[in-house]
């Protein structure tokens, strides 16, 4: 799905089975899954009730025919659980289970509700660099494609610093820009200022995937030469509500199609 000027839009899907993935397959939409959507927990009554019990790996052709990418669910991990519930090895069991269009490195987001001050953000940026190194090593050991690096921060200078700290010898064609879904387009810490900061550091030809950018911002951001793609993962609250009320999950796909058209 393209939003003009070559920007690819990936529909964020919070469910791994059912009407929503089926609708995306039928309409030929590129999609993004969160690792958290595949997470299993121990049942009530178990001594480890509610704790992570591994991933439900895709099987029986449930994702066949989908142009699907995978996100590590860093914001959910931080905001809901305090940290990742799974290890790098656990995550790569999921990465290995399907030929994803790309998979994001595990990272540490820097939204204000998670990291309120600069020292904590710098620590999370350093941990993001360490996680990328671990993900790169795990991918190489399994013979899998390298993870997509994620640039993290909150101010433009922090994104530039993250680009300098990441253990990247040669930048891949696509890099993720995290912690952007809850911020304005303009302003000193806006998305455009952050894009300008990383644009000054990244080599020519490297483009960005923006995680969860709201639809109101996409008309402007789709014109930026560094922006290759975005996703609607941050928009999934309505889809979850529709699931609870029993409404047709394909409504969400229809809403996305109406906006893109």
């Amino acid at each position: 799905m393209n939003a003009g000027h070559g920007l690819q839009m990936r529909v964020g899907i919070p469910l791994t089975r059912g009407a929503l993935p089926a609708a995306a397959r039928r309409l030929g939409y590129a999609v993004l899954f969160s690792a958290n959507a595949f997470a299993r927990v121990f049942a009530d009554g178990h001594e480890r009730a509610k704790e992570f019990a591994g991933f439900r790996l895709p099987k029986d052709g449930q994702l066949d025919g989908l142009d699907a990418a995978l996100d590590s669910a860093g914001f959910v991990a931080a905001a809901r659980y305090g940290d990742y519930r799974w290890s790098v090895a656990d995550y790569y069991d999921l990465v290995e289970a399907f030929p994803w269009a790309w998979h994001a490195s595990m990272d540490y987001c820097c939204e204000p509700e998670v990291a309120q001050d600069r020292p904590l953000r710098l620590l999370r940026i350093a941990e993001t660099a360490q996680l990328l190194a671990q993900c790169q090593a795990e991918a190489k050991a399994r013979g899998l494609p390298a993870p997509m690096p994620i640039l993290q921060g909150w101010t433009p200078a922090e994104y530039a610093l993250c680009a300098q700290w990441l253990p990247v010898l040669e930048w891949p064609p696509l890099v993720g820009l995290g912690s952007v879904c809850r911020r304005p387009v303009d302003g000193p810490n806006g998305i455009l200022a952050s894009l300008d900061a990383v644009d000054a550091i990244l080599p020519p030809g490297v483009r960005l995937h923006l995680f969860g950018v709201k639809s109101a911002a996409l008309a402007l951001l789709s014109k930026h030469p560094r922006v290759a793609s975005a996703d609607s993962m941050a928009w999934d609250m309505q889809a979850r509500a529709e699931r609870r009320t029993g409404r047709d999950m394909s409504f969400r796909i229809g809403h996305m199609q109406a906006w893109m058209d």
Side-chain angles (χ1 to χ4, degrees):
M1 184 195 303
N2 291 316
H5 299 278
L7 183 146
Q8 181 187 53
M9 191 70 197
R10 287 191 174 273
V11 178
I13 296 190
L15 305 171
T16 63
R17 293 182 179 274
L20 189 55
R25 181 185 294 108
R26 184 178 69 252
L27 294 168
Y29 285 173
V31 299
L32 179 67
F33 286 100
S34 166
N36 196 57
F38 295 91
R40 296 184 297 111
V41 296
F42 289 104
D44 291 340
H46 192 280
E47 62 180 4
R48 296 175 59 192
K50 305 300 184 184
E51 292 183 24
F52 178 68
F55 288 112
R56 293 184 181 89
L57 302 180
K59 60 182 180 179
D60 301 329
Q62 73 182 84
L63 302 184
D64 287 358
L66 284 175
D67 174 0
L70 179 68
D71 177 46
S72 70
F75 179 79
V76 171
R80 187 179 299 177
Y81 309 117
D83 202 346
Y84 282 104
R85 296 188 294 170
W86 46 84
S87 67
V88 170
D90 291 330
Y91 181 53
Y92 272 85
D93 288 342
L94 179 57
V95 172
E96 195 170 26
F98 184 75
W100 308 100
W102 50 259
H103 71 277
S105 174
M106 294 172 68
D107 66 319
Y108 281 97
C109 62
C110 293
E111 280 89 341
E113 56 264 55
V114 173
Q116 297 81 16
D117 54 57
R118 179 172 169 80
L120 181 53
R121 293 196 300 270
L122 293 180
L123 178 60
R124 294 179 72 82
I125 291 169
E127 290 173 331
T128 292
Q130 293 177 349
L131 271 179
L132 176 58
Q134 294 174 40
C135 288
Q136 289 170 334
E138 188 72 22
K140 183 177 180 179
R142 297 186 187 217
L144 297 173
M148 180 175 73
I150 309 297
L151 297 173
Q152 278 293 354
W154 188 250
T155 69
E158 289 167 0
Y159 281 110
L161 184 64
C162 184
Q164 295 168 345
W165 283 3
L166 290 184
V168 177
L169 296 178
E170 183 176 350
W171 289 96
L174 189 65
V175 173
L177 192 70
S179 298
V180 293
C181 67
R182 291 168 175 81
R183 69 172 73 211
V185 175
D186 298 305
N189 292 331
I191 300 174
L192 288 175
S194 301
L195 287 172
D196 288 345
V198 299
D199 181 54
I201 291 178
L202 295 177
V206 176
R207 301 185 72 197
L208 297 166
H209 176 85
L210 308 183
F211 285 95
V213 174
K214 302 300 189 294
S215 59
L218 287 174
L220 290 173
L221 296 173
S222 66
K223 300 178 177 68
H224 197 288
R226 284 286 188 182
V227 177
S229 58
D231 66 79
S232 68
M233 188 62 75
W235 310 355
D236 70 7
M237 186 175 297
Q238 183 178 13
R240 293 174 188 272
E242 287 156 8
R243 184 190 184 199
R244 287 193 295 270
T245 59
R247 292 177 59 190
D248 182 7
M249 291 296 292
S250 64
F251 169 85
R252 182 165 164 78
I253 294 290
H255 174 76
M256 285 292 301
Q257 186 175 30
W259 180 83
M260 297 304 296
D261 294 343

